[in-house]
Amino acid sequence: MYHQSFGVETTSPNTTQANGKLHKKTFPVTGMTCAACASSVETILQYTDGVKSAAVNFATNTVQVEYDESTSPEKLNEALTDIGYGLVIGSKDIQETVQEEQEKKYQSVKKQTMGAALLTLPVFVLGMFFMDWVPGRWISMILSIPVLFFFGKNFYLNAWKQARHGKANMDTLVALSTGIAFIFSVFNTLFPEFWYQRGIHPHVYFEAATVIIVFISFGKMLEEKAISQTGTALKKLIGLQPKTLTRIQNGKTQEIKIEEVKVGDRILIKPGEKIPVDGKVLEGSSYLDESMISGEPVPVEKKTGDSVFAGTINQKGSLEIEAEKVGASTLLSQIVQRVQEAQGSKAPVQKLVDKIAGIFVPVVIGIAMLTFGIWMIWGDENAVSHALLAAVSVLVIACPCALGLATPTAIMVGVGKGAENNILIRDAESLELGHKVNAIILDKTGTITEGKPTVGSLKWADGSGQLAVGSHYEVSSKQSIVSSGSANHLPLTTHYLQILYTLESKSEHPLAEAVVRHLKEENVEATSLDHFESITARGVKGCKDGKSFFAGNLKLLQENGISIPVNLEETSNNWSSQAQTVIWFADQENALAILGIQDQLKPSSKSAISKLQKSGVEVYMLTGDNQQTAAAVAKEVGISDFRAEVMPSDKSEFVKRLQEQGKVVAMVGDGINDSEALAQADVSIAMGHGSDIAMDVAKITLITSDLEKIPQAFHLSHLTVNGIKQNLFWAFIYNLIGIPIAAGVLYPINGFLLDPMIAGGAMAFSSVSVVLNSLRLKNSKI
């Protein structure tokens, strides 16, 4: 997972080149006004020396650049400055910087719009109602100059910078259309006799040029306002972390900024305060509102030794905590970062849209020139006026703003909606693919089950010791597991329990943790081992006093030729049929005991799986557990197709097989052993309590670990994709209908010729309608 905190270098650990490590950073971009601008910025950066990749998000005005050590942010900025854009380079948090830039842009566009509108109003009145009043033309010309070249100067400056590098964007269309209309009108005002001598009444179009500037500026103002609203979910997340905290040093309290806190600091949390960092309770007890992590409204009790997380809220008691994770490493910061990554990523459909936007402007200019030529050849006595009007209208109505906003605005709102519902979506591709998933693979432990295994039963080879949790083990007088002696003359069972405890305490398997936790409760103590070895997918092996001992699954014993008593085998089968996982404990010759491990089903598992199946998704379960336990769990939750005793690579191969059958596969897991399959799947989903590696690999993380969130995530994908399709429909339909009408296709039929003013209004409305349509998703239920 790459940290996108602004101004902090983050490197791609597995990627090096001749020039060294690759750095991946996100920068706010200044000067972008349309999708074609985004395409230009992306192209310039991609062809800059040292840059491996660049991805622009027009909706957030940011670019994510991956570059090596041969270049720097300053050099990247220089490459863009020549063409009229720039990068904001500094030490502030990126989200804060983007918000500041958006606010500046909004205020700037607002002033331009209001100033242009005030001067345009008299120009519009004169042009529409006093068109033949000669002094009115002069007044209109004088008022039009500041509208176009002061309030609208950015259109011309940007168009010029683009033209110098052989490029064109929305500003090019606006500058050409208004500039041509203005120059034509100035000519007709200064030299009207040129047309009178040819029997033509000269028209002026100052009102068209100025109204176009006002409409487009107004549309940009509404866009900037609406776009800022699409990031509200991220703002809410960022707002969960306090700006200051109380640090305790040498028995004294001191209020410091959040940026100053360090790992190991002792922090005082007063009633009602937000937890500023991830840490551990050192002193005190209280209840915390952890709904931002768990989704559960019930406060959670915290006492000495318990973990606390940034953004959660302390209720009544006071706590003193030790900071363990600060800044970008806290759970809250990682959540914010993932939302940022997702909002900046591109859906596959957006890549196609970017290509279209890149060639769209030159094509429109070509259509405008063709329109002008056709009118000049086949027009009537007003051919020049009509040719000019039609060409200007084509240039205005075809601005590709709506096209550029269609996908990113919907993605931003969709990702934000997911974050509000404890569904973290890391990239747009997963959000777009989610609704297409028709096969989903679920890991068992920690996904379908709680992932908190406990020891339910224990049985020795002689039949003794089948005790409930919390009981104390006793030694049978007729032990069938007698050996030649035991260390320190301990009772034999105690000696064996110490070896088992030590073996399992050295294992990293979650089931081993359950055994260790249980034996610790039984006051069993550790012993020393002469040798320890972890055997992948089988268990562990250790040596004590020259004798080997094993703890693991049945295959471990079988592969080492260990004798298995009939009574243990029968009990093992019985426990397995009850969905208990069996751990075997043996010496080098005989099985000594078995332990039954229970893992409760999550309350939501059965209903979530039922919903997925009803929606047409095939549900599979893969587990490293034995066949009988897997069968019992699968039966209980209603899964008919499952695989047991699978290795990590088997899970990945199973995903591939389903993909080869043409299925869109989602993989849900929570452990390191799931990471390979998660990486292979089309849509990868990690459970929030799982390993960091699983969450890094997965493109979607469910914070609450509630399986009900999976159908919700797929429904959110469906709503978002529908929003994108609707946006693209409106963006294309405006151009599809508008360009021919602007070119004058209706004139031979009913004499209608689209006024450039109306064309400007239609263009602005298309952009605003796309953003408003995306914002509708915020109020949808998932």
Side-chain angles (χ1 to χ4, degrees), residues 752-766:
F752 177 77
L753 195 61
L754 188 68
D755 191 287
M757 289 187 294
I758 300 172
M763 192 283 295
F765 182 69
S766 70

Side-chain angles (χ1 to χ4, degrees), residues 425-453:
I425 299 159
R426 265 184 72 180
D427 74 350
E429 186 173 4
S430 293
L431 188 57
E432 188 182 333
L433 275 176
H435 77 293
K436 294 181 180 178
V437 169
N438 51 21
I440 186 166
I441 300 167
L442 305 175
D443 178 46
K444 179 182 77 71
T445 306
T447 301
I448 294 175
T449 64
E450 291 283 3
K452 296 175 182 176

Side-chain angles (χ1 to χ4, degrees), residues 486-524:
S486 59
N488 302 324
H489 308 290
L490 288 169
L492 194 56
T493 308
T494 304
H495 173 56
Y496 282 146
L497 287 175
Q498 287 184 343
I499 294 171
L500 175 62
Y501 177 80
T502 308
L503 280 172
E504 294 289 49
S505 66
K506 293 179 179 290
S507 172
E508 296 178 353
H509 197 282
L511 295 184
E513 290 179 18
V515 176
V516 170
R517 189 167 56 247
H518 181 65
L519 293 181
K520 190 182 284 186
E521 289 172 4
E522 300 298 333
N523 299 316
V524 176

